[in-house]
Amino acid sequence: MRTRSLLALVGTATALALTMAAPASADGSAVLTTGSAGGTAAATGDTLTAPLASGTSATLYSSATGTSGVTCTSSQFTAKVTGNPTAPGTATESVTGHTFDASSCTSNVTGVTGVSGITVDNLPYTATVASDGTLTVSPASGSTIQTTVKLKTLLGSITCVYQAPSLTGKADNSDSSISFTSQQFTKSSGSPLCFASGYFTAKYAPVTDGGARVYVN
């Protein structure tokens, strides 16, 4: 019986970093705009937020193609815009928050009876968003993207710590979303019951700035 952890991506993302949506590539506009593609530039210092897309879950499975692990229905990213050049280009963000509501998390792993906590460590992370919609989340120099997962099992509480060198996602302007698919984390410490690897998948939408949807150009 093994357990699994949810990740972090973001660590985290979640992971992440957050921002946005697939490229509309409007020359002359900023990479990140609000209201519409090619709209008002997101200002340096603006705070971007995004919950899980409606009707979706964040998962950390024990394999890239499996369905065994931890599932959460409530998670959110928070990031601050640190650079937003003219498109085409690459915007930068500081990911200051990536949370999972443990009360929304369940596990289908034999022997696991509940999830008591999921914490994204080592924040803030740096995120870059390119005009083609590619999103990359990276830790500070000398650090790592890390998530600590506390699980309830038939043998008592266990802690699983997972790490990743970086995360890669994709932005989509159709719903101002960012998606992570099977991003691999490796167990750095924890009970032998913890999975050796965790594969994180989640979709966050809509990414907003002061309530206005964010687009990538």
Side-chain angles (χ1 to χ4, degrees):
M1 88 187 163
R2 299 170 129 181
T3 78
R4 247 226 38 131
S5 119
L6 201 141
L7 242 16
L9 249 104
V10 178
T12 113
T14 286
L16 97 344
L18 277 91
T19 153
M20 12 313 87
S25 214
D27 289 342
S29 66
V31 174
L32 304 180
T33 58
T34 61
S36 65
T40 303
T44 298
D46 281 4
T47 297
L48 310 181
T49 60
L52 286 175
S54 179
T56 70
S57 300
T59 60
L60 187 71
Y61 290 149
S62 58
S63 68
T65 58
T67 58
S68 175
V70 174
T71 299
C72 295
T73 58
S74 179
S75 177
Q76 179 168 295
F77 271 110
T78 302
K80 180 182 290 186
V81 178
T82 57
N84 189 18
T86 300
T90 300
T92 57
E93 303 168 9
S94 175
V95 182
T96 56
H98 186 190
T99 60
F100 296 88
D101 182 355
S103 66
S104 77
C105 302
T106 58
S107 175
N108 61 355
V109 177
T110 301
V112 176
T113 60
V115 179
S116 56
I118 298 173
T119 304
V120 177
D121 307 312
N122 301 338
L123 292 169
Y125 301 140
T126 296
T128 60
V129 185
S131 288
D132 67 359
T134 300
L135 169 68
T136 303
V137 182
S138 304
S141 177
S143 185
T144 185
I145 291 177
Q146 178 174 295
T147 296
T148 299
V149 180
K150 295 183 178 180
L151 302 172
K152 302 172 186 177
T153 78
L154 295 175
L155 299 180
S157 179
I158 65 170
T159 298
C160 306
V161 179
Y162 290 85
Q163 296 181 337
S166 63
L167 300 175
T168 300
K170 193 69 176 178
D172 185 349
N173 278 348
S174 65
D175 54 2
S176 293
S177 67
I178 55 171
S179 299
F180 299 94
T181 303
S182 297
Q183 295 297 290
Q184 184 176 5
F185 284 70
T186 301
K187 186 183 80 171
S188 63
S189 65
S191 164
L193 296 177
C194 301
F195 289 157
S197 295
Y199 293 82
F200 178 66
T201 297
K203 179 178 180 179
Y204 292 85
V207 178
T208 60
D209 177 353
R213 281 175 53 171
V214 177
Y215 296 79
V216 176
N217 301 276

